[in-house]
Coordinates of all heavy atoms in Angstrom, one line a residue:
Chain B
D24 N 14.2 131.4 90.4 CA 15.6 131.0 90.6 C 15.6 129.5 91.0 O 15.2 129.2 92.1 CB 16.3 131.9 91.6 CG 16.5 133.2 91.1 OD1 15.6 134.1 91.3 OD2 17.6 133.4 90.5
P25 N 16.1 128.7 90.1 CA 16.2 127.2 90.4 C 17.3 126.9 91.4 O 18.1 127.7 91.7 CB 16.4 126.6 89.1 CG 17.3 127.6 88.4 CD 16.8 128.9 88.8
I26 N 17.3 125.6 91.8 CA 18.4 125.1 92.6 C 19.7 125.2 91.7 O 19.6 124.8 90.5 CB 18.1 123.7 93.1 CG1 17.0 123.7 94.1 CG2 19.4 123.0 93.7 CD1 16.4 122.4 94.5
S27 N 20.8 125.6 92.2 CA 21.9 126.0 91.4 C 22.4 125.0 90.5 O 22.8 125.2 89.3 CB 23.0 126.6 92.3 OG 23.4 125.6 93.2
E28 N 22.5 123.7 90.9 CA 23.1 122.7 90.0 C 22.1 122.1 89.1 O 22.4 121.1 88.3 CB 23.8 121.6 90.9 CG 22.8 120.8 91.7 CD 22.7 121.4 93.1 OE1 22.9 122.6 93.3 OE2 22.4 120.6 94.1
H29 N 20.8 122.5 89.1 CA 19.8 121.9 88.3 C 19.8 122.6 86.9 O 19.7 123.8 86.7 CB 18.4 122.1 88.9 CG 18.2 121.3 90.1 ND1 17.0 121.2 90.8 CD2 19.0 120.4 90.7 CE1 17.1 120.3 91.7 NE2 18.3 119.8 91.8
N30 N 19.8 121.7 85.9 CA 19.9 122.2 84.5 C 18.5 122.2 83.8 O 18.3 122.8 82.8 CB 20.9 121.5 83.6 CG 20.7 120.0 83.7 OD1 19.7 119.5 84.2 ND2 21.7 119.2 83.3
R31 N 17.5 121.6 84.5 CA 16.1 121.7 83.9 C 15.2 122.6 84.7 O 15.3 122.5 86.0 CB 15.6 120.3 83.8 CG 16.2 119.5 82.7 CD 15.4 118.4 82.2 NE 16.0 117.7 81.0 CZ 15.3 117.0 80.2 NH1 14.1 116.7 80.4 NH2 16.0 116.4 79.1
L32 N 14.4 123.4 84.1 CA 13.5 124.3 84.8 C 12.2 124.2 84.1 O 12.1 124.2 82.9 CB 14.1 125.7 84.7 CG 13.4 126.8 85.5 CD1 14.3 127.9 86.0 CD2 12.2 127.4 84.7
Y33 N 11.1 124.2 84.9 CA 9.8 123.9 84.4 C 8.9 125.1 85.0 O 9.0 125.5 86.1 CB 9.2 122.6 84.9 CG 10.1 121.4 84.7 CD1 11.2 121.1 85.5 CD2 9.8 120.5 83.6 CE1 12.0 120.0 85.3 CE2 10.6 119.4 83.4 CZ 11.7 119.2 84.2 OH 12.5 118.1 84.0
W34 N 7.9 125.4 84.2 CA 6.8 126.3 84.7 C 5.5 125.5 84.6 O 5.2 124.9 83.6 CB 6.7 127.5 83.8 CG 7.8 128.6 84.0 CD1 8.9 128.8 83.3 CD2 7.8 129.6 85.0 NE1 9.6 129.8 83.8 CE2 9.0 130.3 84.9 CE3 6.9 129.9 86.1 CZ2 9.3 131.4 85.7 CZ3 7.2 130.9 86.9 CH2 8.4 131.7 86.7
Y35 N 4.7 125.6 85.6 CA 3.4 125.0 85.7 C 2.4 126.1 86.2 O 2.8 127.1 86.8 CB 3.3 123.9 86.7 CG 4.1 122.7 86.4 CD1 5.5 122.6 86.7 CD2 3.5 121.6 85.8 CE1 6.2 121.5 86.3 CE2 4.3 120.4 85.4 CZ 5.6 120.4 85.7 OH 6.4 119.3 85.4
R36 N 1.1 125.9 85.9 CA 0.0 126.8 86.4 C -1.0 125.9 87.1 O -1.4 124.8 86.6 CB -0.6 127.5 85.2 CG -1.7 128.4 85.6 CD -2.2 129.3 84.4 NE -2.9 128.4 83.4 CZ -3.3 128.9 82.3 NH1 -3.1 130.2 81.9 NH2 -4.0 128.1 81.4
Q37 N -1.4 126.4 88.2 CA -2.4 125.7 89.0 C -3.6 126.6 89.3 O -3.4 127.7 89.9 CB -1.8 125.2 90.3 CG -2.8 124.3 91.1 CD -2.2 123.8 92.4 OE1 -1.1 124.2 92.9 NE2 -2.8 122.8 93.0
T38 N -4.8 126.1 89.0 CA -6.0 126.8 89.4 C -6.7 126.1 90.5 O -6.4 124.9 90.8 CB -7.0 127.0 88.2 OG1 -7.2 125.7 87.6 CG2 -6.3 127.9 87.1
L39 N -7.7 126.7 91.1 CA -8.3 126.2 92.3 C -9.0 124.8 92.0 O -9.7 124.7 91.0 CB -9.4 127.2 92.8 CG -9.9 126.9 94.2 CD1 -8.8 127.1 95.2 CD2 -11.1 127.9 94.5
G40 N -8.7 123.8 92.9 CA -9.3 122.5 92.7 C -8.6 121.6 91.7 O -9.1 120.5 91.4
Q41 N -7.6 122.1 91.1 CA -6.9 121.3 90.0 C -5.4 121.1 90.4 O -4.9 121.8 91.2 CB -6.9 122.1 88.7 CG -8.4 122.3 88.2 CD -9.1 121.0 87.9 OE1 -8.6 120.1 87.4 NE2 -10.4 121.0 88.3
G42 N -4.8 120.1 89.8 CA -3.4 119.9 89.9 C -2.6 120.9 89.0 O -3.2 121.5 88.1
P43 N -1.3 121.0 89.2 CA -0.5 121.8 88.4 C -0.6 121.3 86.9 O -0.6 120.1 86.7 CB 0.9 121.7 88.9 CG 0.7 121.3 90.4 CD -0.6 120.4 90.4
E44 N -0.6 122.3 86.0 CA -0.6 122.0 84.6 C 0.7 122.5 83.9 O 1.0 123.7 84.2 CB -1.8 122.7 83.9 CG -3.2 122.1 84.3 CD -4.3 122.8 83.6 OE1 -4.5 124.0 83.9 OE2 -4.9 122.3 82.7
F45 N 1.3 121.7 83.2 CA 2.5 122.0 82.5 C 2.4 123.2 81.5 O 1.4 123.2 80.8 CB 3.1 120.8 81.8 CG 4.3 121.1 80.9 CD1 5.5 121.2 81.4 CD2 4.1 121.2 79.5 CE1 6.6 121.5 80.6 CE2 5.2 121.4 78.7 CZ 6.4 121.6 79.2
L46 N 3.3 124.1 81.6 CA 3.4 125.2 80.6 C 4.5 125.1 79.7 O 4.4 125.1 78.5 CB 3.4 126.6 81.3 CG 2.2 127.0 82.2 CD1 2.5 128.3 82.9 CD2 1.0 127.1 81.3
T47 N 5.8 125.0 80.2 CA 6.9 125.0 79.4 C 8.1 124.5 80.2 O 8.1 124.5 81.5 CB 7.3 126.3 78.8 OG1 8.3 126.2 77.8 CG2 7.7 127.3 79.9
Y48 N 9.2 124.0 79.5 CA 10.4 123.7 80.3 C 11.7 124.0 79.5 O 11.6 124.0 78.2 CB 10.4 122.3 80.9 CG 10.9 121.2 80.0 CD1 12.2 120.7 80.1 CD2 10.0 120.5 79.1 CE1 12.6 119.6 79.4 CE2 10.4 119.4 78.4 CZ 11.8 119.0 78.5 OH 12.2 117.9 77.8
F49 N 12.7 124.2 80.2 CA 14.0 124.5 79.6 C 15.1 123.5 80.1 O 15.0 123.0 81.2 CB 14.5 125.9 80.1 CG 13.7 127.0 79.7 CD1 12.5 127.4 80.4 CD2 14.1 127.8 78.6 CE1 11.8 128.5 79.9 CE2 13.3 128.9 78.2 CZ 12.2 129.2 78.8
Q50 N 16.0 123.1 79.2 CA 17.2 122.5 79.6 C 18.3 123.4 79.3 O 18.5 123.8 78.1 CB 17.4 121.2 78.8 CG 18.7 120.5 79.2 CD 18.8 119.0 78.7 OE1 17.9 118.2 79.0 NE2 19.8 118.8 78.0
N51 N 19.0 123.9 80.4 CA 19.9 125.0 80.3 C 19.1 126.2 79.7 O 18.1 126.5 80.2 CB 21.1 124.6 79.5 CG 21.9 123.4 80.1 OD1 22.1 123.4 81.4 ND2 22.2 122.4 79.4
E52 N 19.6 126.8 78.6 CA 18.9 128.0 78.1 C 18.0 127.6 77.0 O 17.2 128.5 76.5 CB 19.9 129.0 77.6 CG 20.8 128.6 76.4 CD 22.0 127.8 76.8 OE1 22.1 127.4 78.0 OE2 22.8 127.5 76.0
A53 N 17.9 126.4 76.6 CA 17.0 126.0 75.5 C 15.6 125.6 76.0 O 15.5 124.8 76.9 CB 17.7 124.8 74.8
Q54 N 14.6 126.2 75.3 CA 13.2 125.9 75.6 C 12.8 124.7 74.8 O 12.7 124.8 73.6 CB 12.3 127.1 75.3 CG 10.9 127.0 75.8 CD 10.1 128.3 75.6 OE1 10.5 129.2 74.9 NE2 9.0 128.4 76.4
L55 N 12.6 123.6 75.5 CA 12.4 122.3 74.8 C 11.0 122.0 74.5 O 10.7 121.2 73.5 CB 13.1 121.2 75.6 CG 14.6 121.2 75.8 CD1 15.1 119.9 76.4 CD2 15.3 121.5 74.4
E56 N 10.1 122.5 75.2 CA 8.7 122.1 75.0 C 7.8 123.2 75.5 O 8.1 123.8 76.6 CB 8.3 120.8 75.6 CG 6.9 120.3 75.3 CD 6.5 118.9 75.8 OE1 7.4 118.3 76.3 OE2 5.3 118.6 75.8
K57 N 6.7 123.5 74.8 CA 5.7 124.5 75.2 C 4.3 123.8 75.1 O 4.0 123.2 74.1 CB 5.7 125.7 74.4 CG 7.0 126.5 74.5 CD 6.8 128.0 74.0 CE 6.6 128.0 72.5 NZ 6.5 129.3 71.9
S58 N 3.5 124.0 76.1 CA 2.1 123.5 76.1 C 1.2 124.3 75.2 O 1.5 125.5 75.0 CB 1.6 123.5 77.5 OG 0.2 123.4 77.6
R59 N 0.1 123.7 74.8 CA -0.9 124.5 74.1 C -1.5 125.6 75.0 O -2.1 126.5 74.5 CB -2.0 123.5 73.6 CG -1.6 122.5 72.5 CD -2.7 121.5 72.3 NE -2.9 120.8 73.5 CZ -4.0 120.1 73.8 NH1 -5.0 120.0 72.9 NH2 -4.2 119.4 74.9
L60 N -1.4 125.4 76.3 CA -1.9 126.4 77.2 C -1.1 127.7 77.1 O -1.6 128.8 77.5 CB -1.8 125.9 78.7 CG -2.6 124.7 79.1 CD1 -2.2 124.3 80.5 CD2 -4.1 125.0 79.0
L61 N 0.1 127.6 76.6 CA 0.9 128.8 76.5 C 0.6 129.6 75.2 O 1.2 129.4 74.2 CB 2.4 128.4 76.5 CG 3.4 129.3 77.2 CD1 3.1 129.3 78.7 CD2 4.8 128.8 77.0
S62 N -0.4 130.5 75.4 CA -0.8 131.3 74.2 C 0.3 132.3 73.8 O 1.3 132.4 74.5 CB -2.1 132.0 74.5 OG -1.8 133.1 75.3
D63 N 0.1 133.0 72.7 CA 1.1 133.9 72.3 C 1.2 135.1 73.2 O 2.1 135.9 73.0 CB 0.8 134.4 70.8 CG -0.6 135.0 70.7 OD1 -1.3 135.1 71.7 OD2 -1.0 135.3 69.5
R64 N 0.4 135.2 74.2 CA 0.5 136.3 75.2 C 1.6 135.9 76.3 O 2.0 136.7 77.0 CB -0.8 136.6 75.9 CG -1.9 137.1 75.0 CD -3.2 137.5 75.7 NE -3.8 136.4 76.4 CZ -3.7 136.2 77.7 NH1 -3.1 137.0 78.5 NH2 -4.3 135.1 78.2
F65 N 1.9 134.6 76.3 CA 2.9 134.1 77.3 C 4.2 134.0 76.6 O 4.3 133.4 75.5 CB 2.4 132.8 77.8 CG 1.2 132.8 78.7 CD1 0.0 133.1 78.3 CD2 1.4 132.5 80.1 CE1 -1.1 133.1 79.1 CE2 0.3 132.6 80.9 CZ -1.0 132.9 80.5
S66 N 5.3 134.4 77.3 CA 6.6 134.1 76.9 C 7.5 133.8 78.1 O 7.4 134.4 79.1 CB 7.2 135.2 76.0 OG 7.3 136.4 76.9
A67 N 8.4 132.8 77.9 CA 9.3 132.4 78.9 C 10.7 132.5 78.4 O 11.0 132.1 77.2 CB 9.0 131.1 79.5
E68 N 11.7 132.8 79.3 CA 13.1 132.9 78.9 C 13.9 132.3 80.0 O 13.6 132.4 81.2 CB 13.5 134.3 78.6 CG 12.9 135.0 77.4 CD 13.4 136.4 77.2 OE1 14.0 136.9 78.1 OE2 13.2 136.9 76.0
R69 N 15.1 131.8 79.6 CA 16.1 131.4 80.6 C 17.4 131.8 79.9 O 18.2 130.9 79.5 CB 16.0 129.9 80.9 CG 16.8 129.5 82.1 CD 16.7 128.0 82.4 NE 17.4 127.7 83.6 CZ 17.8 126.5 83.9 NH1 17.6 125.5 83.1 NH2 18.4 126.3 85.0
P70 N 17.8 133.0 79.9 CA 18.8 133.5 79.0 C 20.2 132.9 79.3 O 21.0 132.7 78.4 CB 18.8 135.0 79.2 CG 18.1 135.2 80.5 CD 17.1 134.1 80.6
K71 N 20.6 132.7 80.5 CA 21.9 132.2 80.8 C 21.9 130.8 81.4 O 22.9 130.4 82.0 CB 22.7 133.2 81.7 CG 22.9 134.5 81.0 CD 23.7 135.4 81.9 CE 24.0 136.8 81.2 NZ 24.7 137.7 82.1
G72 N 20.8 130.2 81.3 CA 20.6 128.8 81.8 C 20.6 128.8 83.3 O 20.7 127.7 83.9
S73 N 20.3 130.0 83.9 CA 20.2 130.0 85.4 C 18.7 130.4 85.8 O 17.8 129.5 85.7 CB 21.2 131.0 86.0 OG 21.0 132.3 85.5
F74 N 18.5 131.6 86.1 CA 17.1 132.0 86.4 C 16.2 132.1 85.2 O 16.7 132.1 84.0 CB 17.1 133.3 87.2 CG 17.3 134.5 86.3 CD1 16.3 135.2 85.6 CD2 18.6 135.0 86.0 CE1 16.6 136.3 84.8 CE2 18.9 136.0 85.2 CZ 17.9 136.7 84.6
S75 N 14.9 132.1 85.4 CA 14.0 132.2 84.3 C 12.9 133.2 84.6 O 12.6 133.5 85.7 CB 13.3 130.8 84.1 OG 12.3 130.9 83.1
T76 N 12.4 133.8 83.5 CA 11.2 134.7 83.6 C 10.1 134.2 82.8 O 10.3 133.6 81.7 CB 11.6 136.1 83.2 OG1 12.1 136.1 81.8 CG2 12.7 136.7 84.1
L77 N 8.9 134.5 83.3 CA 7.6 134.2 82.6 C 6.9 135.5 82.5 O 6.6 136.1 83.5 CB 6.8 133.1 83.4 CG 5.4 132.8 82.8 CD1 5.6 132.0 81.4 CD2 4.6 131.9 83.7
E78 N 6.6 135.9 81.3 CA 5.9 137.2 81.1 C 4.5 136.9 80.5 O 4.4 136.0 79.6 CB 6.6 138.1 80.1 CG 5.9 139.4 79.9 CD 6.6 140.3 78.9 OE1 7.5 139.9 78.2 OE2 6.3 141.5 78.9
I79 N 3.5 137.6 81.0 CA 2.2 137.5 80.5 C 1.8 138.9 80.0 O 1.8 139.8 80.8 CB 1.1 137.0 81.5 CG1 1.6 135.7 82.2 CG2 -0.2 136.8 80.8 CD1 0.7 135.2 83.3
Q80 N 1.5 139.0 78.7 CA 1.1 140.3 78.2 C -0.4 140.4 78.1 O -1.1 139.4 77.9 CB 1.7 140.5 76.8 CG 3.2 140.5 76.7 CD 3.8 140.7 75.4 OE1 3.2 140.3 74.4 NE2 4.9 141.4 75.3
R81 N -0.9 141.6 78.2 CA -2.4 141.9 78.1 C -3.2 140.9 78.9 O -4.0 140.1 78.4 CB -2.8 141.8 76.6 CG -2.0 142.7 75.7 CD -2.4 142.6 74.3 NE -2.4 141.3 73.7 CZ -1.3 140.7 73.3 NH1 -0.1 141.3 73.4 NH2 -1.4 139.5 72.8
T82 N -2.9 140.9 80.2 CA -3.5 139.9 81.1 C -5.0 139.9 81.0 O -5.7 140.9 80.8 CB -3.1 140.1 82.6 OG1 -3.4 141.5 82.9 CG2 -1.6 139.8 82.8
E83 N -5.6 138.7 81.2 CA -7.0 138.5 81.2 C -7.4 137.9 82.6 O -6.6 137.3 83.3 CB -7.4 137.5 80.1 CG -7.0 138.0 78.7 CD -7.3 137.0 77.6 OE1 -7.7 135.8 78.0 OE2 -7.0 137.3 76.4
Q84 N -8.7 138.0 82.9 CA -9.1 137.4 84.2 C -8.9 135.9 84.3 O -8.6 135.4 85.4 CB -10.6 137.8 84.5 CG -10.8 139.2 84.8 CD -12.2 139.6 85.1 OE1 -13.2 139.0 84.6 NE2 -12.4 140.5 86.0
G85 N -8.9 135.2 83.2 CA -8.7 133.8 83.1 C -7.2 133.4 83.4 O -6.9 132.3 83.6
D86 N -6.3 134.4 83.5 CA -4.9 134.2 83.8 C -4.7 134.1 85.3 O -3.6 133.6 85.7 CB -4.0 135.3 83.2 CG -4.1 135.3 81.7 OD1 -4.3 134.3 81.1 OD2 -3.9 136.5 81.2
S87 N -5.7 134.4 86.1 CA -5.6 134.3 87.5 C -5.4 132.9 87.9 O -6.1 132.0 87.6 CB -6.9 134.9 88.2 OG -7.1 136.2 87.9
A88 N -4.3 132.7 88.6 CA -3.8 131.3 89.0 C -2.6 131.4 89.8 O -2.0 132.5 90.0 CB -3.5 130.5 87.7
M89 N -2.1 130.2 90.3 CA -0.8 130.1 90.9 C 0.1 129.6 89.9 O -0.1 128.6 89.2 CB -0.9 129.1 92.1 CG 0.4 128.8 92.7 SD 1.0 130.2 93.7 CE 0.1 129.8 95.2
Y90 N 1.2 130.4 89.7 CA 2.3 130.0 88.7 C 3.4 129.4 89.5 O 4.1 130.0 90.3 CB 2.7 131.2 87.9 CG 1.6 131.6 86.9 CD1 0.5 132.4 87.4 CD2 1.5 131.1 85.6 CE1 -0.5 132.7 86.5 CE2 0.5 131.4 84.8 CZ -0.5 132.2 85.2 OH -1.6 132.5 84.4
L91 N 3.7 128.1 89.2 CA 4.7 127.3 89.9 C 5.9 127.1 89.0 O 5.8 126.8 87.8 CB 4.2 126.0 90.4 CG 3.1 126.0 91.4 CD1 2.3 124.7 91.4 CD2 3.6 126.3 92.8
C92 N 7.1 127.2 89.6 CA 8.3 126.9 89.0 C 8.9 125.7 89.6 O 8.8 125.5 90.9 CB 9.3 128.1 89.1 SG 10.9 127.8 88.3
A93 N 9.6 124.8 88.9 CA 10.2 123.6 89.4 C 11.6 123.4 88.7 O 11.8 123.9 87.6 CB 9.4 122.4 89.3
S94 N 12.5 122.7 89.4 CA 13.8 122.4 88.7 C 14.2 121.0 89.0 O 13.7 120.4 90.0 CB 14.8 123.4 89.1 OG 15.2 123.3 90.5
S95 N 15.0 120.5 88.2 CA 15.6 119.2 88.4 C 16.9 119.0 87.6 O 17.2 119.8 86.8 CB 14.6 118.1 87.9 OG 14.6 118.1 86.4
R96 N 17.6 118.0 88.0 CA 18.8 117.6 87.3 C 18.4 116.6 86.2 O 17.6 115.8 86.4 CB 19.9 117.0 88.2 CG 20.5 118.0 89.1 CD 21.6 117.3 89.9 NE 21.1 116.4 90.9 CZ 21.3 115.1 90.9 NH1 22.1 114.6 89.9 NH2 20.9 114.3 91.9
R97 N 19.0 116.8 85.0 CA 18.6 115.9 83.9 C 18.8 114.5 84.2 O 18.0 113.6 83.8 CB 19.5 116.3 82.7 CG 19.1 115.5 81.4 CD 19.9 116.0 80.3 NE 19.5 115.3 79.0 CZ 20.1 114.3 78.6 NH1 21.1 113.7 79.3 NH2 19.7 113.7 77.5
E98 N 19.8 114.2 85.1 CA 20.2 112.8 85.3 C 19.4 112.2 86.5 O 19.6 111.0 86.8 CB 21.7 112.6 85.6 CG 22.6 113.3 84.6 CD 22.7 114.8 84.8 OE1 22.4 115.3 85.9 OE2 23.0 115.5 83.8
V99 N 18.5 113.0 87.0 CA 17.8 112.5 88.3 C 17.0 111.3 88.0 O 16.3 111.1 87.0 CB 16.9 113.6 88.9 CG1 15.7 113.9 88.0 CG2 16.5 113.3 90.3
K100 N 17.1 110.3 89.0 CA 16.4 109.1 88.9 C 15.0 109.4 89.4 O 14.8 110.0 90.5 CB 17.1 108.1 89.8 CG 16.5 106.7 89.8 CD 17.3 105.7 90.6 CE 16.7 104.4 90.7 NZ 17.4 103.4 91.5

Side-chain angles (χ1 to χ4, degrees):
Chain B
D24 286 89
I26 295 172
S27 57
E28 65 267 26
H29 286 185
N30 50 14
R31 289 204 171 195
L32 186 148
Y33 309 79
W34 285 99
Y35 293 84
R36 181 173 69 185
Q37 185 179 15
T38 53
L39 196 62
Q41 300 298 318
E44 292 179 290
F45 170 78
L46 293 178
T47 188
Y48 87 95
F49 294 84
Q50 181 167 302
N51 300 315
E52 65 274 9
Q54 189 172 19
L55 296 186
E56 187 176 349
K57 294 195 298 185
S58 163
R59 294 171 297 162
L60 295 174
L61 215 65
S62 76
D63 56 5
R64 296 185 298 106
F65 288 70
S66 62
E68 293 183 343
R69 194 182 183 198
K71 296 183 179 179
S73 57
F74 74 91
S75 175
T76 58
L77 177 68
E78 181 183 17
I79 309 174
Q80 296 182 327
R81 306 181 302 282
T82 53
E83 301 172 355
Q84 288 184 326
D86 297 331
S87 295
M89 175 73 82
Y90 289 83
L91 293 163
C92 176
S94 70
S95 72
R96 288 185 290 115
R97 182 175 183 270
E98 309 78 22
V99 70
K100 184 178 178 181

